[in-house]
Amino acid sequence: MVPDGRYAPSPTGTLHLGNLRTALLAWLFARAGGSRFVVRVEDIDTGRSRERFVAEQLADLAALGLDWDAPVVRQSDRGALYADALAALDAERLVYPCWCTRAEIRQASSAPHGPLPGGAYPGTCAELPAARRAERARSGRPAALRVRAAAAQVTVQDKLLGPVRSTVDDFVLRRADGDWAYNLAVVVDDQAQGVGEVVRGADLLETTPRQAWLHGALGYGAPPAYAHVPLLLGADGGRLAKRHGAVTLAGRASHGQSPADVRAELAASVGLCAPDEHLEPAELVARFDPEGLAAASCG
Ligand code: GLU
């Protein structure tokens, strides 16, 4: 048995073939190990989430032949859990308000000093003297809440990519607009849902040390296992987008292709079958080998 797996789409658009391949792989990792698989709707970004994409994304996953074992969880319903986690960190004096704008952070973090990687929060508001903090608070400008990670050095062992080492910056837990931040919600939910193996796109690798660190800071014990799968790219090597033609199930349907055709194409792209070989989901499960995926060239 491998630990429970999940797919956690954000309903900010229609799932494209790259998202669908990641979902298929996450499902295959779990099912090939005989594990549970859950789906979570990550709709905490209230500015970008759209209700119509929630049902559409779930329908596309089902059309591809994926199934899940528990009712779908929505992050917009789970604010109380995130508030509890924030309170627990605050009780450890690990939370502080931050008034920096994006431009200020960009400017400060590009200065050639300090141990943090480019783009990381440089800690400007971490040690504000009390008087200055009070002055900022009085200005009425809303503050984001950041966690004091003290530039922790974290190494995550990725199942496909090997060790990923990074210095964790003081990342955001709650945004200045009041929305919960992705890193907090994802860690709380993976723990609450019993997810032990996180399979997702390689574009999220960069933030993984933060999540592994937060897992520990919240007292959850060892973080989940991680496997970051290659992104499906367009023929020109760029990220999949509308300019690449029909890149959604609906788009493919209008060209006469069924979800089973798309599943075959996605499975073929990771070396599980020939493009014209139409396997049922269960047959793909029987063939799936995570070790093979690590070696396969996923185009
Ligand atoms: N909701 C995120 C996305 O759609 C994925 C989060 C995750 O898998 O950890 O990009």
Side-chain angles (χ1 to χ4, degrees):
M1 282 276 285
V2 298
D4 293 345
R6 48 74 153 181
Y7 183 61
S10 301
T12 54
T14 299
L15 295 175
H16 60 54
L17 298 189
N19 304 130
L20 293 171
R21 187 173 80 170
T22 297
L24 175 65
L25 288 172
W27 182 84
L28 286 170
F29 265 85
R31 296 310 196 202
S35 290
R36 287 174 74 251
F37 183 73
V38 296
V39 171
R40 180 169 72 232
V41 173
E42 300 211 320
D43 56 351
I44 40 171
D45 187 335
T46 51
R48 295 178 60 228
S49 297
R50 296 285 176 272
E51 196 55 38
R52 69 193 156 97
F53 293 126
V54 175
E56 185 200 77
Q57 292 186 341
L58 296 175
D60 281 359
L61 296 175
L64 208 58
L66 311 190
D67 61 350
W68 44 92
D69 298 309
V72 170
V73 153
R74 294 185 60 156
Q75 289 190 323
S76 55
D77 292 334
R78 298 165 73 79
L81 284 178
Y82 311 142
D84 285 351
L86 181 72
L89 294 168
D90 195 34
E92 302 287 324
R93 299 186 184 287
L94 288 176
V95 181
Y96 66 88
C98 166
W99 287 271
C100 294
T101 62
R102 268 170 211 255
E104 285 164 347
I105 295 171
R106 224 178 5 253
Q107 202 176 19
S109 67
S110 63
H113 60 70
L116 292 166
Y121 183 64
T124 319
C125 288
E127 307 302 339
L128 279 187
R132 194 132 168 70
R133 189 165 287 175
E135 182 192 313
R136 292 264 178 141
R138 271 198 308 274
S139 77
R141 187 159 120 204
L145 297 176
R146 290 185 179 272
V147 71
R148 222 176 265 285
Q153 301 282 318
V154 172
T155 303
V156 170
Q157 195 62 36
D158 186 273
K159 284 192 171 180
L160 300 177
L161 302 173
V164 180
R165 187 173 168 74
S166 174
T167 305
V168 177
D169 67 345
D170 289 357
F171 57 90
V172 170
L173 300 170
R174 187 164 203 173
R175 295 173 7 180
D177 64 6
D179 279 355
W180 295 103
Y182 158 67
N183 283 308
L184 176 69
V186 97
V187 169
V188 169
D189 285 336
D190 282 339
Q191 174 73 6
Q193 293 188 279
V195 169
E197 184 176 69
V198 171
V199 178
R200 60 187 175 194
D203 53 335
L204 292 168
L205 180 67
E206 191 190 19
T207 201
T208 303
R210 290 178 176 139
Q211 294 174 16
W213 177 85
L214 186 57
H215 206 87
L218 284 167
Y220 294 163
Y226 294 100
H228 287 86
V229 301
L231 298 182
L232 183 64
L233 302 176
D236 57 1
R239 275 207 188 195
L240 219 51
K242 281 204 184 98
R243 68 191 155 85
H244 294 110
V247 293
T248 62
L249 281 190
R252 288 303 179 85
S254 67
H255 286 73
Q257 279 181 296
S258 69
D261 295 330
V262 173
R263 184 173 65 233
E265 178 184 333
L266 297 177
S269 79
V270 290
L272 280 177
C273 61
D276 56 353
E277 198 180 2
H278 277 58
L279 300 181
E280 290 301 314
E283 294 172 303
L284 291 175
V285 169
R287 279 198 193 180
F288 183 68
D289 170 18
E291 306 289 324
L293 180 65
S297 62
C298 307

